[in-house]
Amino acid sequence: MKSRTKVVVIGGGIAGCSTLYHLTREGWSDVVLVERNELTSGTTWHSAAQVTNFGMNQTMVGLKTHSIRLYKELAENPDYPINYHHGDGGIRMANTEAQMQGYRHFTSMARGMDVHFEVIDADECARRHPLVSTDNLLGGLWDPLDGDIDPAQLCQALAFHARKAGAEVYRNTPVTALTQHRDDTWTVHTEHGDIDCDIVVNACGYRVNEVAAMMNVHHPVASMEHQYFLTEDIPEIVQAGHRMPLIRCPISDYYCRQEKNGLLIGFYEQGCKTWGMDGIDPNFVNALCPDDLDRITDVLEGAFARMPALMEAGIRSVINGPITYTIDGAPLVGPIPGKRNAFCIIGLRAGLGEGGGHGWLLAQQIVHGEACYDTWCLDPRRFTGHANVELTSLKAIEDYQNEFRFHFPHEHRPAGRPAKTTPLTPVLAAEGAEFTVVNGWERVDYIKPSADFHPSLSFDFDEAFDLVKREVENVRDNVGLCEVNGFNRFEITGTDRHAFLDRLACGTVPKRDGRVGLGYLLNHHGRIKCEATFTNLPASDRGPARVWYGSAAASEFHDMDWLTAHLRDGEDVTIRSLTNDQTILVLAGPNARKVLSACARGDWSKDAFPWLSVRECFVGFAPATVISVSFSGELAYEIHVPNASLYAAYLAIREAGKPFNLSLFGARAVESMRMEKGFFHWKADLLTEFDPFETGLDRFVKLSKGDFVGKAALEALVARGPAKKMVTLQVGTSRAPAPGGASLMQDDKVVGTVTSGDWGHRVGMNLAYAFVDPGLSEAGTRMQLDLCGDLTDVTVIAASPYDPDFARLRG
C-alpha cells in the first residue's frame, strides 16, 4: 500500500468510484481509493439504478447528461463492457394541470442544456407503456434517454479504468482515524497502515458521519429505509417485443422499470422509516433491513390501480435497504465547511443515476478549484449551523413522502420549521405574516389578509399578487418596515484589514471611516465568487476600528472559507462572524428619514448622513448601527440591531412611523423592487460561470488597480470576449413570471437562459434577467421565452427601468 499520494477517496460505492475515475480524467493519476469492505458493499449494491436526465435545475440536468454519456461509453467499451439499458424512455406522471405546467417548465429549462423532454397526454402515456391505466391521469413528462444500469458492474468498470490510468484501490481497508497537519495535509490511518495525502474525500454513503467524526465535523445526512420488489414474469411484457419505459408516479408514490421479463417496483410510502439514527452495526455489509410489506400496502393499492397487470404478478424477491437524504434532497458535493483540503460526495439518494456527473463535478473542483457549472445547488456549505442530523431526518421523511412531487415556486413545506427565528418572529406572525425560509431563517414573505389565506401553487402569478403590489406602493409613497434576518455579517479587524480586502476585491474597497461600498470577489478563473458590502466603522465603545463584511444569508460558511483561505502568514487580520448575533430592520420609502429622525437622536439629513454612510446610534434605547443603502431603489436605511434589543428597536420604529403611514413589507415586495432596479441575487444571477463584465458589473471592476485574486484570468477573459451577456427583459404577458432556468429562443434555437423573473409593480412591467448570446444584448432586441410551453415575446430593455439615475435612493 502506498504511504504517500495526492488524494485519498474514502468509500467504494458509486460516489467514490466516480470521483476516483474522474480525478484520473482530469490528469491526476497519483490517487487512491480505500474501502472498508468490497466495492459496492453499501447502498450501491441494492440500488434500483435508474438513470434519468430529469433534474430540478440546469446543473442537475447537466451532470445527469454527463452520467448518461459516460455510462453509454463505458457500456460499449470492449475492455470492460457493462449492462446498461440505455434509452428505454421514462414517464413522470401527472393528474393535475399544475403538475403538467411544471413539466412544461422543466422541458423549457432542460432545452437550454440540449436535453429534449416531451410533455404527453394520458392516451400517449398508455400507448408508450401498455400496462398503464389512464384513470385519474392527465399526462406526463417523457424522457427518451431514461434507462437503468447494473450498479456493481458500473462501479467495477469505473475502478478498472481508474486503475489503468494509474489510480490504486485498496479493498478491505477500514479507515480508523484522520489527522490534519499544520500545512493542511492529511494522514489517513487505516488498519493496514497510514497514507499521507494532500486531499481527502468523504464518499462514505450511509456511514458518512462515522468518517466525519474523525474530522470533528458532522454532515446533514440521514438514511431512510426503502423497499422495492421484483416480480415474476409478466405475460404482457414477454409478448410486448420491446422493453417497457420507466414509470415514476407522484399520484401513487411508486416507480417501476423492467427487470428481465418482470418489473422492479419501488415504493415511497407515507408511513416511512428512518434508519441508522442511533448508530450502524459495523457488520452491516452487503446487508438489508427486514422486509416490511405491511408498510407499503396503501402505495401498492395505488400501483395496482395504475397498472392492473401487477395484481396477477407474483413477487420473486423483496429488497429493503437504506438510502441517504439531505435537508433539501440534493447531494452534498464539494468542500467540507471549515476544513482545508477536505471534500465530500455524500447524500446521493439517486446515486447510480447521478453519480457519474457528481464525481465529474467534484473532480473538477478538486483539481481546478471550480467546476464547469455553478455547483451551489450541491455545495455542502449551502446549509449552516442549523443543519443537524435531527433536522435532516425530518426533512428526509418529508422528501421521501413527496419523492416525485417537485417544489412549486413559493412552496415551503412544513417539516423542520421553524429552524431559525428572531425575537420578532412571533410578533410578525401575530401581525399576519406569511413566512418564507432563507437558509433556515423564518423571513416574512408578505402580510396575509387573514389566517386562512393560502395561495394556490403554480408557475403563474398567485393570489398574493395584489398584496405584494400594495406593500410596494406603500414603500414607494410612504414608508415600509421589513425584517431581514440571517444576513451574513463578518467583523474584520486588524491593521491589514483594508489591504486584505483590496487583494480579494476586483474593484475599489472604501477605506474611510463611516463609508460603505459594494464589491465583488472573483475566483482564480476570473469569475464571480462573492458579493459583499464593505462597511467601515470607526473605533468606539462598541469595538475597535473594523470593517463589516456583509453578504447573502446563505453565504456564511462559503464566504468564511474563501476569506480565511486567503489570509497570509503574519497578516494582522482577524475575522469574526456576527451573523447570528444581529438582525436588520430595513426602513424604506420617501418618509424613511422622518421616521428615523423621530426615533434616533442625531442629524439624519442628506448632508449629514448621505447615501453609503454608516453611523452607530440608539433607536429608542436599543443600540443600533444604521447604514444608508437600498435594495429597493427607495431612500432606505439598514438598521442593524443586536437580537437582544431587536423587539425594543422594532417598537420604537413602529411608534415613530405611525404619523407617516408605516406598514410592513416582505421578501416578495423586495424581490419585485430589486428587479426594477437592476440589482442581482447571489447564486440566482451572480454565478461562477460568468465574469463581472458578462454580468453587467463593469462599474465594480478596476483593472488598473494592483493585483487581486483572479485578475490575470479576468484580463484573459476580457481579451477573449464575452460568452454571454446579462440583460433585462420585458416579458410580454401578465399571466406568469419568467422562472429561473427557462429558455430564450430565436429562430427555434436556444439563445439564452433566464436567471430571475418577477412583476415590477412600480413600472407595471413583467421583468426578467437572463444571460443571452452577446449579439442579442442590445436594447430593443426581441426574442421568445419558452414560458411553461408557451412561446412568449420578450424585449431587451435598459437596466434599472425604475429611477435609472438612482435619485430616489439618494434621497
Side-chain angles (χ1 to χ4, degrees):
M1 191 169 74
K2 279 186 173 182
S3 61
R4 184 73 176 83
T5 190
K6 196 166 186 65
V7 182
V8 173
V9 179
I10 307 171
I14 181 59
C17 292
S18 178
T19 302
L20 189 76
Y21 170 88
H22 284 97
L23 284 170
T24 65
R25 290 304 180 268
E26 295 298 326
W28 285 13
S29 58
D30 182 16
V31 291
V32 162
L33 183 148
V34 294
E35 160 57 41
R36 71 193 301 271
N37 299 109
E38 295 290 341
L39 298 185
T40 77
S41 60
T43 294
T44 299
W45 79 270
H46 61 73
S47 169
Q50 300 166 93
V51 184
T52 175
N53 241 339
F54 180 81
M56 295 296 292
N57 54 56
Q58 288 192 324
T59 295
M60 293 300 293
V61 171
L63 69 86
K64 291 184 179 189
T65 298
H66 175 83
S67 293
I68 290 171
R69 290 172 180 165
L70 170 65
Y71 297 171
K72 192 169 187 296
E73 177 186 319
L74 291 173
E76 295 170 353
N77 190 310
D79 290 343
Y80 204 108
I82 58 177
N83 293 323
Y84 176 28
H85 298 121
H86 172 266
D88 289 347
I91 306 170
R92 291 177 182 269
M93 294 183 164
N95 67 340
T96 70
E97 180 52 42
Q99 288 172 311
M100 293 292 285
Q101 183 189 40
Y103 289 158
R104 288 190 284 271
H105 162 64
F106 292 122
T107 300
S108 171
M109 180 265 292
R111 181 185 291 183
M113 301 300 287
D114 198 26
V115 170
H116 300 281
F117 297 144
E118 184 182 355
V119 179
I120 57 178
D121 63 20
D123 290 340
E124 186 63 16
C125 290
R127 190 188 73 78
R128 298 187 188 190
H129 200 305
L131 300 185
V132 166
S133 164
T134 59
D135 290 347
N136 189 32
L137 182 67
L138 275 182
L141 180 74
W142 172 259
D143 174 2
L145 297 185
D146 218 336
D148 68 271
I149 197 164
D150 185 297
Q153 288 182 357
L154 171 60
C155 291
Q156 294 289 355
L158 291 166
F160 170 81
H161 291 290
R163 287 190 189 100
K164 281 186 66 175
E168 296 191 18
V169 176
Y170 305 136
R171 298 169 297 126
N172 299 304
T173 305
V175 173
T176 57
L178 296 169
T179 300
Q180 188 163 31
H181 306 289
R182 294 187 65 180
D183 63 354
D184 294 324
T185 62
W186 292 85
T187 297
V188 179
H189 306 278
T190 80
E191 288 188 358
H192 302 310
D194 296 345
I195 311 174
D196 294 326
C197 62
D198 296 327
I199 295 166
V200 67
V201 178
N202 185 343
C204 292
Y206 53 68
R207 295 191 184 274
V208 51
N209 278 315
E210 294 178 7
V211 171
M214 300 176 190
M215 297 184 186
N216 295 316
V217 300
H218 80 274
H219 297 293
V221 176
S223 296
M224 301 292 298
E225 288 189 16
H226 176 59
Q227 296 185 95
Y228 65 81
F229 61 64
L230 304 174
T231 74
E232 295 175 349
D233 289 0
I234 296 176
E236 292 90 338
I237 293 178
V238 175
Q239 297 160 12
H242 63 83
R243 285 186 60 82
M244 292 289 163
L246 289 80
I247 294 291
R248 296 173 183 85
C249 183
I251 307 166
S252 302
D253 296 309
Y254 82 99
Y255 63 88
C256 73
R257 65 167 176 82
Q258 185 170 333
E259 177 69 16
K260 297 182 180 178
N261 286 320
L263 290 174
L264 181 156
I265 308 174
F267 305 94
Y268 290 95
E269 69 279 6
Q270 295 302 295
C272 52
K273 186 178 179 182
T274 58
W275 179 86
M277 291 289 290
D278 297 317
I280 302 169
D281 186 336
N283 298 315
F284 192 87
V285 178
N286 282 318
L288 294 171
C289 310
D291 300 348
D292 189 2
L293 292 181
D294 289 343
R295 207 168 69 218
I296 64 169
T297 301
D298 56 337
V299 187
L300 188 57
E301 289 176 355
F304 284 161
R306 181 62 57 210
M307 301 175 71
L310 287 177
M311 289 186 281
E312 307 299 325
I315 298 176
R316 183 156 51 88
S317 60
V318 179
I319 305 295
N320 184 19
I323 56 176
T324 56
Y325 281 75
T326 66
I327 289 179
D328 63 359
L332 305 177
V333 180
I336 294 175
K339 294 293 178 181
R340 301 277 178 82
N341 296 335
F343 295 81
C344 61
I345 176 169
I346 53 179
L348 277 62
R349 73 177 182 190
L352 263 294
E354 303 173 353
H358 290 311
W360 174 55
L361 294 181
L362 181 60
Q364 291 177 55
Q365 292 178 69
I366 292 171
V367 175
H368 307 296
E370 297 283 0
C372 57
Y373 305 137
D374 190 300
T375 57
W376 182 245
C377 64
L378 307 171
D379 198 302
R381 299 165 299 188
R382 69 186 187 272
F383 309 121
T384 55
H386 66 294
N388 54 50
V389 175
E390 285 71 16
L391 174 62
T392 305
S393 68
L394 294 175
K395 297 302 292 185
I397 291 169
E398 184 179 65
D399 270 358
Y400 189 96
Q401 293 169 333
N402 292 277
E403 179 68 28
F404 300 127
R405 286 182 279 277
F406 54 81
H407 280 78
F408 284 95
H410 304 301
E411 179 185 7
H412 299 290
R413 293 172 181 168
R417 297 181 63 186
K420 297 182 187 176
T421 61
T422 74
L424 289 187
T425 305
V427 177
L428 296 169
E431 296 261 18
E434 176 70 19
F435 292 93
T436 183
V437 180
V438 180
N439 188 31
W441 290 96
E442 296 289 328
R443 187 177 291 181
V444 176
D445 207 20
Y446 57 88
I447 303 301
K448 298 184 291 186
S450 62
D452 59 355
F453 178 78
H454 300 294
S456 54
L457 295 175
S458 78
F459 284 78
D460 293 340
F461 289 117
D462 64 22
E463 294 85 348
F465 184 90
D466 289 335
L467 304 178
V468 175
K469 178 182 179 182
R470 287 196 289 272
E471 291 179 12
V472 170
E473 288 175 343
N474 192 65
V475 171
R476 179 195 64 194
D477 300 336
N478 299 299
V479 60
L481 180 64
C482 175
E483 181 193 48
V484 181
N485 49 23
F487 184 78
N488 184 47
R489 182 188 295 100
F490 299 148
E491 180 184 84
I492 304 178
T493 56
T495 56
D496 296 324
R497 62 191 183 280
H498 289 117
F500 167 68
L501 291 171
D502 197 53
R503 196 171 70 246
L504 291 175
C506 64
T508 301
V509 175
K511 300 176 177 63
R512 185 158 56 90
D513 284 347
R515 296 303 292 165
V516 181
L518 181 65
Y520 292 87
L521 285 60
L522 309 183
N523 61 27
H524 296 285
H525 302 281
R527 295 185 168 95
I528 294 174
K529 187 73 173 179
C530 312
E531 179 189 55
T533 302
F534 306 121
T535 302
N536 289 290
L537 289 164
S540 70
D541 58 353
R542 299 183 191 177
R546 59 209 182 277
V547 174
W548 273 5
Y549 173 108
S551 57
S555 70
E556 180 184 359
F557 285 2
H558 173 278
D559 285 13
M560 181 62 84
D561 278 356
W562 188 251
L563 294 178
T564 55
H566 289 87
L567 285 172
R568 292 175 176 171
D569 290 341
E571 199 164 29
D572 182 20
V573 174
T574 300
I575 306 172
R576 181 170 70 101
S577 178
L578 303 177
T579 299
N580 298 302
D581 301 335
Q582 301 203 18
T583 295
I584 301 171
L585 297 174
V586 172
L587 195 60
N591 288 327
R593 180 178 289 118
K594 295 175 183 176
V595 175
L596 183 60
S597 298
C599 62
R601 287 185 294 111
D603 183 355
W604 297 101
S605 66
K606 180 178 178 180
D607 291 337
F609 194 70
W611 184 47
L612 299 180
S613 297
V614 60
R615 179 189 297 174
E616 292 178 330
C617 67
F618 291 88
V619 171
F621 54 80
T625 303
V626 179
I627 305 175
S628 178
V629 292
S630 175
F631 203 49
S632 63
E634 305 292 346
L635 174 67
Y637 303 102
E638 287 185 358
I639 304 171
H640 298 243
V641 185
N643 285 334
S645 304
L646 186 63
Y647 185 43
Y650 173 80
L651 291 177
I653 295 170
R654 290 303 301 266
E655 183 64 27
K658 286 179 179 178
F660 304 104
N661 295 316
L662 182 144
S663 65
L664 299 174
F665 67 100
R668 287 213 211 176
V670 173
E671 182 70 6
S672 169
M673 291 186 285
R674 71 100 182 173
M675 291 291 302
E676 297 173 302
K677 283 304 300 168
F679 295 155
F680 299 142
H681 263 168
W682 185 71
K683 293 308 180 188
D685 315 301
L686 303 172
L687 305 170
T688 58
E689 296 173 34
F690 303 101
D691 67 49
F693 292 108
E694 291 172 319
T695 312
L697 299 172
D698 310 40
R699 65 192 185 278
F700 296 102
V701 182
K702 189 178 180 182
L703 287 174
S704 60
K705 65 181 278 189
D707 195 26
F708 57 84
V709 173
K711 181 179 180 180
L714 178 59
E715 290 173 330
L717 290 172
V718 171
R720 186 196 69 184
K724 295 285 184 181
K725 291 287 287 184
M726 173 68 86
V727 296
T728 302
L729 300 170
Q730 182 174 0
V731 181
T733 181
S734 58
R735 174 182 61 82
S743 290
L744 293 165
M745 312 293 297
Q746 196 174 70
D747 300 327
D748 203 34
K749 175 187 173 186
V750 176
V751 294
T753 300
V754 171
T755 59
S756 296
D758 206 349
W759 188 268
H761 290 283
R762 295 173 297 190
V763 297
M765 295 181 187
N766 195 356
L767 300 170
Y769 298 149
F771 282 103
V772 301
D773 294 345
L776 301 174
S777 62
E778 293 299 319
T781 303
R782 296 181 178 273
M783 289 167 269
Q784 289 188 308
L785 166 68
D786 184 348
L787 182 57
C788 297
D790 295 329
L791 289 180
T792 302
D793 291 337
V794 298
T795 305
V796 178
I797 63 174
S800 189
Y802 181 71
D803 185 30
D805 296 327
F806 285 46
R808 291 180 67 91
L809 63 79
R810 288 183 167 92

